[in-house]
Amino acid sequence: NAEYGEEPPVNGEYVKVMGESYSMKENGENGHAAKPKEDEPEYMTIRKQLKYPVDKNPGWVGAFILGFQQYLIMFGPTFAIPVILAPSLCIDQNVVAKGQLLNTMFVMCGIATMLQIFFGTRLPIIQSGSYIYFAVAAGIMSKTPCEDEYFMEVDGVNKSVNYDPNWHKRMAELQGNLMVASLTQIILGGFGFVGLLLKVIGPITITVLIALIGLCLTGVAAGSASQNWSISLGMVFLITLFSEYLKNVPVPLPVVSFKTSRG
C-alpha cells in the first residue's frame, strides 16, 4: 500500500486513501478497465475515467496541444473585455487607447497565470479577466457620461475629437475601485471568511448575480450583433447545436500512436 499523494507501486493494485485501501489498477485483463470495487467511493471511480488526473502530467506534445487549445478558448473572452469596457471609458473610437487596453489585458493575464502556476494552486488553467465586475464598472462610469464631442490641443490648436482625451482619469478611478474589491477578496479568502459566507450564499444569490451580469451586457451584445444579424444568429444556432444536441455524438478522428500494439 502507498499513502495518498505518494507514487503508487509498479503495477500496484491498491492505494491507501484516508485509512482505507482501494483498487487503483488502471487496466484489467485484455486491456479493459478494471471494474471498481463495490465499496469504492465515487470520486475514485471518476478518477479512473480521467485521462490526466490533477496529479499527473501529459507529455510535451500533449501539453503543447492542450495549452494551445486553452489559449484559443480564452482568447475570445479576454479580447472582449477591453472592447466592452471601451464605450464606458469614452474611447470607443480611439483605436490606440483600445490597443493599449488589449495589450495590458493579455500581459496581466500572462503574469497572473505564471503566478498561479508557480505560487498558487498550480492548476493547469489560464487566468483570464472576470466579467463579474462589469455591472459595477458600468455603474461607476455612468456617473460621468460620455460627451458627444471633445476638444484636445494639437500644435496649439483645439481639435475636435469623438473620444475623451483624458480617459486615463476614468481608468484610474475604475482601477482604484477594482483594487479595493481585490483586497476585500484577499482578506475574505485569507482569513477563511468565505466558508462562513457559503452558509448564507446559495444558488439563489448566485443566480441573481449571473442574471445581473447578463442584463448589464445585453446592450453591448445587441449593438455588436446588429452589425450583421445573419452571422450573429448563425453563431447562436451553432453554439446551441454543438453544446446541447451534438455533445454526446462521437466524431471519428485520425489518431497517430507511437506505442507498440500488444498481441
Side-chain angles (χ1 to χ4, degrees):
N1 294 337
E3 294 293 334
Y4 180 71
E6 299 179 359
E7 187 69 22
V10 179
N11 296 327
E13 291 82 4
Y14 299 96
V15 62
K16 193 173 183 180
V17 181
M18 299 178 64
E20 299 184 11
S21 296
Y22 301 102
S23 174
M24 286 294 293
K25 184 180 293 185
E26 295 184 354
N27 295 320
E29 298 180 358
N30 300 326
H32 296 288
K35 295 182 179 180
K37 298 172 63 176
E38 294 182 356
D39 57 344
E40 190 174 58
E42 183 179 359
Y43 69 88
M44 294 295 293
T45 304
I46 297 176
R47 176 187 172 88
K48 292 181 181 181
Q49 299 173 356
L50 298 176
K51 180 67 175 179
Y52 298 110
V54 70
D55 56 347
K56 291 186 179 181
N57 299 322
W60 284 105
V61 177
F64 176 81
I65 295 176
L66 294 175
F68 184 70
Q69 179 191 43
Q70 192 167 115
Y71 169 77
L72 294 178
I73 294 174
M74 62 80 64
F75 181 86
T78 305
F79 184 90
I81 291 177
V83 175
I84 296 174
L85 282 178
S88 299
L89 296 173
C90 304
I91 56 172
D92 195 24
Q93 305 299 325
N94 191 342
V95 180
V96 176
K98 291 171 70 174
Q100 293 175 350
L101 288 181
L102 287 170
N103 292 332
T104 304
M105 188 72 185
F106 277 95
V107 170
M108 295 310 300
C109 286
I111 294 176
T113 301
M114 298 299 292
L115 291 175
Q116 190 272 145
I117 290 175
F118 291 105
F119 303 103
T121 54
R122 304 186 67 182
L123 294 176
I125 55 177
I126 296 178
Q127 299 298 310
S128 182
S130 176
Y131 284 78
I132 199 171
Y133 299 105
F134 274 132
V136 179
I140 295 173
M141 295 295 98
S142 64
K143 295 189 302 180
T144 53
C146 300
E147 300 179 6
D148 297 332
E149 186 179 16
Y150 293 90
F151 295 92
M152 61 182 300
E153 186 175 348
V154 179
D155 297 331
V157 180
N158 288 332
K159 181 181 178 181
S160 176
V161 293
N162 54 0
Y163 59 86
D164 188 358
N166 298 319
W167 65 273
H168 293 91
K169 295 182 179 180
R170 292 173 173 270
M171 192 67 194
E173 181 182 0
L174 184 59
Q175 286 177 329
N177 287 275
L178 291 177
M179 288 179 183
V180 174
S182 301
L183 290 176
T184 304
Q185 286 187 332
I186 293 174
I187 294 174
L188 292 176
F191 291 93
F193 294 131
V194 176
L196 298 177
L197 293 176
L198 289 177
K199 297 180 180 180
V200 295
I201 298 178
I204 297 180
T205 307
I206 298 175
T207 301
V208 173
L209 179 61
I210 294 177
L212 179 62
I213 297 173
L215 292 175
C216 178
L217 298 176
T218 301
V220 178
S224 300
S226 62
Q227 298 179 8
N228 194 316
W229 282 110
S230 59
I231 296 179
S232 303
L233 295 177
M235 182 64 68
V236 172
F237 171 76
L238 291 177
I239 292 176
T240 305
L241 179 66
F242 291 137
S243 63
E244 298 297 330
Y245 298 99
L246 298 180
K247 58 182 178 180
N248 296 323
V249 177
V251 178
L253 294 175
V255 177
V256 178
S257 177
F258 297 97
K259 295 182 180 180
T260 304
S261 60
R262 298 179 181 179

